[in-house]
Amino acid sequence: MAKTRHLLGISGGKDSAALAIYLNDKYPQFDFEYYFCDTGKELDETYQLINNLESYLGKSIKKLENPDIDSTGDNPFDFYYKSFRGYLPSPQARWCTALMKLKPFENFVNGDDAVSYVGIRGDEEREGYISKEANIQSIFPFRKNIWSSDVMTKVFQPENFEMVIDYFQSYYSGNDLDKLVDIFNEPISFDKNHKNEAEKILKRKANSSLDLGIARFNRGVFDFLKTTKYPLAKEIDYVLLENEDVLVRDDIFRILRESGVGVPEYYEKVEFEVDGQKGEYARSRSGCYFCFFQQKIEWVWLYEQHPDLFKKAMAYESEDDLFTWIPNETLKELIQPERIKQIKLGHINRTNKTKTKSSPYLLDILEGTERDGCNTCFL
């Protein structure tokens, strides 16, 4: 029987880097395979982070390549950009995600049973990347609930109730077992017409069950998985079942700094002044420097901190075809002095309204867009 592979993608972002460090230090028994999907349009800080990580981990991070692209002399983005005849990727047409991230990853897995470790934090509400391939299972070590939503759907399927509860009886008894049964008995419909409501109920069921004890809930789920075709069904035991750590943004920055790997410079806030008012900006994400999920203040950051890259981003736009990175606004229009002033003042006002004394990170202000976008790019 082929061995299950344990894979961890390095995006160049803070969360995936911290996850690699955390798991390496806490669970040295894992034989992780680290990989990086290079679009050819990353910031220099991304490559520096990867070099630092390789030194810390004592292991190489495999760059996933496409031989068909390599033979053309183009980098991945330019190859596909030409293939789409200048049609830029967008939230509605994320060909960049599909072709430069997911396709290379699934080719790398090559049909093997694999567990993919994803750095969604305990203070985030979003769900991470879940492959449609049955041989790839996602695990989220930073969260209270390490299991993906597809696993939770199977666990809480009403038709699986008797079988699942039978497994859980090995870990629950008395009042706790009664409480667990009540949680499972809460009505839920997985009809596609009630998707949003089902997601809310599913999350509530999972959280309520975990409140009765994280480790024993995990053990019950793990026993149930033995009846499925998930990659972890092959494992005799799994050390993360006992892990009750929940890591948030402050923990991520601490891990990066204490390890010596360091925080990518683009996360560090930079001061600016406009109309006598002082503000700060930074970048909220890893990934391509021209990512269309950026806030407009981040585009201004790119223009002022990396003018050469901003100029290259402008060159991809076509005003005649309405192919622009930002809907209804070209980068040429965005960098007009009055427009930059307007964007900066708006950012200062939003920051003053939402900034809290509990966190020193500007990223807390930018987190709205940090949670948007491609989960495989920005972890």
Side-chain angles (χ1 to χ4, degrees):
M1 182 182 293
K3 185 178 179 181
T4 299
R5 298 168 63 187
H6 296 270
L7 311 178
L8 203 163
I10 305 299
S11 68
K14 62 189 185 305
D15 297 332
S16 63
L19 181 62
I21 296 167
Y22 170 82
L23 291 176
N24 175 76
D25 293 353
K26 188 162 184 175
Y27 302 106
Q29 64 268 47
F30 276 114
D31 181 22
F32 285 109
E33 297 178 58
Y34 304 101
Y35 67 91
F36 167 59
C37 297
D38 190 359
T39 66
K41 301 298 177 181
E42 313 287 337
L43 291 163
D44 288 342
E45 293 91 333
T46 294
Y47 301 112
Q48 184 60 55
L49 178 69
I50 289 172
N51 290 336
N52 293 349
L53 266 178
E54 286 184 324
S55 296
Y56 183 86
L57 299 170
K59 206 168 186 179
S60 64
I61 297 170
K62 182 177 178 59
K63 178 182 174 182
L64 303 190
E65 299 177 337
N66 184 329
D68 295 333
I69 294 177
D70 293 341
S71 64
T72 68
D74 280 332
N75 58 60
F77 181 85
D78 287 331
F79 175 83
Y80 289 116
Y81 173 74
K82 292 175 183 177
S83 299
F84 281 87
R85 300 181 180 181
Y87 186 82
L88 294 176
S90 68
Q92 293 74 37
R94 298 191 214 179
W95 58 255
C96 53
T97 301
L99 298 176
M100 295 192 296
K101 300 289 184 175
L102 302 185
K103 183 178 179 181
F105 170 64
E106 292 179 349
N107 287 342
F108 174 55
V109 175
N110 194 31
D112 295 336
D113 280 336
V115 179
S116 175
Y117 293 81
V118 184
I120 301 294
R121 303 188 308 271
D123 58 349
E124 295 184 285
E125 294 297 325
R126 62 189 174 118
E127 185 69 39
Y129 165 68
I130 300 173
S131 176
K132 294 180 181 179
E133 304 295 328
N135 59 299
I136 302 174
Q137 179 176 0
S138 296
I139 290 290
F140 306 90
F142 284 160
R143 305 189 317 193
K144 181 168 71 171
N145 184 11
I146 65 172
W147 309 106
S148 54
S149 60
D150 56 318
V151 170
M152 291 293 91
T153 297
K154 287 181 172 61
V155 168
F156 290 105
Q157 279 281 356
E159 55 264 38
N160 292 334
F161 172 78
E162 291 187 7
M163 177 173 59
V164 173
I165 288 297
D166 188 53
Y167 287 116
F168 277 92
Q169 283 179 346
S170 299
Y171 309 103
Y172 295 81
S173 61
N175 289 335
D176 282 353
L177 180 58
D178 292 339
K179 292 177 182 177
L180 189 71
V181 170
D182 288 342
I183 293 168
F184 272 78
N185 278 331
E186 179 185 359
I188 185 170
S189 170
F190 291 102
D191 185 283
K192 63 181 181 180
N193 295 321
H194 301 91
K195 183 178 178 181
N196 291 338
E197 182 63 21
E199 288 176 354
K200 292 178 183 177
I201 297 174
L202 196 63
K203 181 177 290 188
R204 184 165 63 244
K205 283 173 173 280
N207 286 334
S208 298
S209 300
L210 286 159
D211 287 343
L212 295 175
I214 294 174
R216 58 182 176 175
F217 177 74
N218 287 343
R219 290 224 163 261
V221 173
F222 184 69
D223 288 351
F224 167 70
L225 286 182
K226 297 286 188 178
T227 68
T228 72
K229 294 183 179 180
Y230 279 101
L232 281 179
K234 290 183 176 181
E235 301 293 306
I236 297 173
D237 201 2
Y238 187 54
V239 293
L240 261 68
L241 301 178
E242 304 293 330
N243 187 7
E244 299 193 4
D245 292 346
V246 178
L247 278 71
V248 298
R249 178 178 283 117
D250 284 359
D251 298 312
I252 303 308
F253 282 92
R254 175 182 53 77
I255 288 171
L256 291 173
R257 291 192 168 110
E258 290 181 356
S259 68
V261 169
V263 177
E265 189 176 349
Y266 51 73
Y267 287 127
E268 302 291 2
K269 53 192 176 184
V270 178
E271 292 187 352
F272 64 80
E273 185 172 340
V274 57
D275 276 3
Q277 298 187 57
K278 292 184 177 181
E280 299 168 337
Y281 57 15
R283 183 174 166 88
S284 68
R285 62 192 66 245
S286 59
C288 301
Y289 61 81
F290 44 54
C291 178
F292 47 81
F293 279 113
Q294 292 181 101
Q295 289 188 20
K296 291 180 181 179
I297 188 64
E298 295 177 86
W299 280 108
V300 173
W301 173 91
L302 183 68
Y303 173 65
E304 296 183 342
Q305 302 302 316
H306 295 278
D308 55 329
L309 296 182
F310 190 92
K311 186 176 180 180
K312 290 179 179 179
M314 287 180 65
Y316 286 105
E317 292 192 323
S318 172
E319 294 184 49
D320 293 338
D321 294 323
L322 300 179
F323 293 164
T324 59
W325 294 112
I326 304 169
N328 304 315
E329 185 172 24
T330 66
L331 294 184
K332 181 179 178 181
E333 293 169 333
L334 182 137
I335 59 173
Q336 297 305 306
E338 282 302 313
R339 182 65 176 129
I340 289 178
K341 176 181 175 181
Q342 182 184 39
I343 292 170
K344 285 184 172 180
L345 287 173
H347 177 65
I348 291 172
N349 289 336
R350 287 192 302 275
T351 300
N352 289 338
K353 289 179 181 179
T354 59
K355 197 171 186 179
T356 64
K357 295 181 180 179
S358 61
S359 175
Y361 302 119
L362 178 66
L363 269 294
D364 287 337
I365 311 304
L366 296 172
E367 69 178 351
T369 56
E370 183 192 7
R371 289 173 181 170
D372 291 337
C374 166
N375 288 322
T376 63
C377 288
F378 307 139
L379 302 178

